[in-house]
Amino acid sequence: MDSILYWNAVALEANRISHSNGAGEQTGPPLSARALAIVQLAMYDGYIGALGPSARYRPYLPDLPPAPPGADPDAAVAGAAHAALRALFPSQAEAFDRALAYPGLSGPGVADGLRFGRLVAERILADRAGDPGVSDAGYRPSPARFRHRVDPFNPGQGFHGPFYGARSKLFSATRRHRNEDPPRGNQVYLEALRIVRVTGIAPELLATVPDFLVESLPPDRRRRTEERTLIGVFWAYDGANGIGTPPRLYNQIVREIATHRNNSTEDNARLFALINVAMADAGILAWEEKYRHDLWRPIVGIREHDPSTGPAAERGGNDIDTDAQIDWLPLGSPASNSANRNFTPNFPAYPSGHAAFGAAALHITRRFYGIAAEDMNPDRLADGLTFVSDELNGVTRDNSGAVRPRHVRDFPDGLWQMIVENGRSRIWLGVHWEFDFAPRPVIGGLPLGLAIANDIFDSGMRKSTVGPR
């Protein structure tokens, strides 16, 4: 049994349960990514430390003491994962205790391995003890045009993590990567508004979109096809009951690839530390950029497009701009396994966190398997593989109570296809603008995620020295 894959599965289940049991532990995308990075780093340093001089990779912590001679590496993984998970998800402690008992570790070196793993977990947790939370206490949204405000259909949703990004030190990136300003009010913005208005609209409002607007768009942006609806749901993982957050999905994908390629345990220790550290830094930097640019979501931007609308209305007037639609609704992030209304996430649009997380995790996986830093072409890493999202597994229900069908998806253009599809999926749900994901370099979440992945991979996944903003 591969101890890394075993405890990675336990950690992913903890993420799923944490969004279902009401305990509120490590919920939402940034804290999910942070928790998974802490667990995987503890597992990685435990395993590498127990291997000692025979290890091919360096540990993450620069001041880690040596493991006792003969310490069992798999036991070190178990001790590290068990201790980190118990600290991060205390309501699930009994499940982690059962997981520790299941592998039946025994023999010489196990006790020393467990103790060393726990020591590593304590060091990693201590290193991150000063991280901020995601509370919006003290945050005041702006009433200005183009600035983010809550989903009008969820007026009590608040603001997720307004101070998290800027106040967090980095895990491994060597600098605080930034995005250029998004377009506001120009022709690029207007085309993006028209695209999401048409392709991200709620099904019951399709007849309200004027024909001239549809015809003004490029042919491949004129309607949300059935496949695009499916893609939007496939990649969602919007903290739904029984599903969890996007970092869980990207781990699930990389598990399939690692298993298919028969990775060694040491390689899996490195790979899963890389992807989760990259996502943790993506969560920090995407959230810093989100609240720095503070761009409204389509649910507000389309409804208040005309200058006579909104809390900062610039003028009176009855000649309403035809690009405004005051009753517009998105298809929405799916409120799976509940009866709640589909929703728009409670943080600013730009850049897309989904695109940043996905690009960071999947591109650092591409780098691990030898693909060049700037290569943005199709790859063969998913050849022969199929994937099933928990959003479309034949068990998950939509918010009407209907069980969604099981959908088996393949990716003939590999992880690059996943990176692009994952980013675009948010437009088809109607919760993001097209430029939130990646029209050009340094604009959007996709290039932000790529930059983070390349930075961490090229610098060797060292502990970062870059503190809060």
Side-chain angles (χ1 to χ4, degrees):
M1 180 185 71
D2 185 304
S3 57
I4 298 294
L5 291 180
Y6 175 83
W7 283 100
N8 173 265
V10 174
L12 298 186
E13 179 67 0
N15 174 274
R16 186 186 74 83
I17 295 297
S18 72
H19 290 83
S20 314
N21 67 2
E25 297 162 346
Q26 318 304 327
T27 53
L31 292 188
S32 293
R34 172 185 177 272
L36 289 170
I38 288 170
V39 174
Q40 291 293 159
L41 281 172
M43 292 161 61
Y44 171 76
D45 269 8
Y47 192 82
I48 296 300
L51 287 181
S54 67
R56 290 183 289 115
Y57 302 113
R58 296 180 181 180
Y60 169 78
L61 290 177
D63 55 352
L64 193 65
D72 185 285
D74 292 323
V77 169
H82 179 259
L85 287 165
R86 266 180 144 264
L88 294 163
F89 302 94
S91 70
Q92 301 181 51
E94 291 184 6
F96 306 141
D97 292 348
R98 290 193 297 272
L100 183 63
Y102 180 73
L105 290 168
S106 62
V110 167
D112 282 341
L114 288 169
R115 279 193 294 270
F116 179 69
R118 292 182 187 118
L119 171 64
V120 171
E122 289 168 5
R123 294 286 184 95
I124 298 284
L125 288 161
D127 181 60
R128 303 306 305 189
D131 291 348
V134 291
S135 169
D136 63 359
Y139 178 72
R140 297 290 180 268
S142 170
R145 286 180 62 75
F146 299 105
R147 303 293 287 273
H148 172 70
R149 299 196 310 282
V150 297
D151 177 352
F153 282 86
N154 294 278
Q157 71 178 177
F159 302 88
H160 188 78
F163 308 114
Y164 177 79
R167 294 181 182 177
S168 291
K169 66 180 182 179
L170 298 179
F171 274 79
S172 189
T174 63
R175 66 186 182 92
R176 301 189 78 93
H177 300 271
R178 285 198 151 183
N179 289 116
E180 289 182 354
D181 291 342
R184 289 182 173 95
N186 59 17
Q187 192 60 37
V188 172
Y189 173 85
L190 185 60
E191 181 171 288
L193 180 146
R194 290 172 175 173
I195 288 169
V196 72
R197 183 182 171 192
V198 170
T199 62
I201 196 168
E204 64 269 25
L205 293 177
L206 276 172
T208 67
V209 178
D211 290 341
F212 78 86
L213 176 60
V214 176
E215 291 164 4
S216 73
L217 296 174
D220 65 341
R221 301 288 199 275
R222 290 183 178 175
R223 290 293 182 194
R224 182 180 64 242
T225 62
E226 181 55 38
E227 184 185 17
R228 289 175 175 178
T229 300
L230 183 148
I231 288 170
V233 175
F234 181 97
W235 292 100
Y237 280 61
D238 280 295
N241 178 31
I243 293 178
T245 49
R248 178 170 176 259
L249 171 60
Y250 310 133
N251 271 272
Q252 290 174 318
I253 289 169
V254 176
R255 287 177 63 87
E256 295 291 330
I257 293 164
T259 301
H260 183 70
R261 298 180 73 90
N262 295 312
N263 280 7
S264 68
T265 302
E266 186 176 4
D267 282 340
N268 278 336
R270 181 73 171 182
L271 175 59
F272 284 92
L274 281 167
I275 69 167
N276 286 290
V277 167
M279 285 192 287
D281 277 348
I284 291 167
L285 294 174
W287 256 250
E288 179 178 357
E289 292 298 272
K290 280 178 178 293
Y291 283 95
R292 184 169 76 90
H293 296 288
D294 196 28
L295 183 70
W296 59 12
R297 296 271 184 165
I299 183 68
V300 176
I302 294 172
R303 286 168 165 255
E304 298 183 8
H305 179 71
D306 188 87
S308 69
T309 59
E314 297 170 0
R315 60 170 173 79
N318 303 325
D319 186 17
I320 302 300
D321 192 312
T322 56
D323 283 305
Q325 184 173 348
I326 63 170
D327 64 345
W328 189 85
L329 281 172
L331 177 61
S333 293
S336 303
N337 298 317
S338 78
N340 296 330
R341 181 192 293 272
N342 286 357
F343 61 95
T344 288
N346 54 345
F347 36 85
Y350 178 86
S352 165
H354 240 77
F357 284 127
L362 299 176
H363 189 57
I364 210 164
T365 303
R366 298 171 88 234
R367 296 296 310 280
F368 183 83
Y369 289 116
I371 292 174
E374 304 306 320
D375 188 335
M376 293 184 281
N377 296 302
D379 57 73
R380 305 270 67 87
L381 292 177
D383 282 4
L385 296 175
T386 57
F387 302 87
V388 176
S389 162
D390 282 1
E391 295 278 14
L392 290 158
N393 60 5
V395 176
T396 293
R397 297 176 179 270
D398 66 22
N399 61 353
S400 76
V403 176
R404 295 198 193 105
R406 182 173 182 269
H407 170 64
V408 181
R409 192 160 189 80
D410 61 13
F411 294 89
D413 288 337
L415 270 63
W416 185 253
Q417 179 184 345
M418 295 182 190
I419 288 169
V420 174
E421 187 175 288
N422 171 66
R424 286 213 171 107
S425 72
R426 309 303 283 172
I427 302 158
W428 299 329
L429 290 180
V431 299
H432 272 288
W433 314 101
E434 192 164 60
F435 52 77
D436 291 342
F437 114 86
R440 59 191 175 90
V442 297
I443 291 281
L446 191 155
L448 180 63
L450 296 181
I452 292 165
N454 286 329
D455 179 347
I456 293 171
F457 190 86
D458 290 337
S459 60
M461 200 184 72
R462 309 282 183 86
K463 182 177 176 293
S464 182
T465 60
V466 180
R469 175 65 62 184

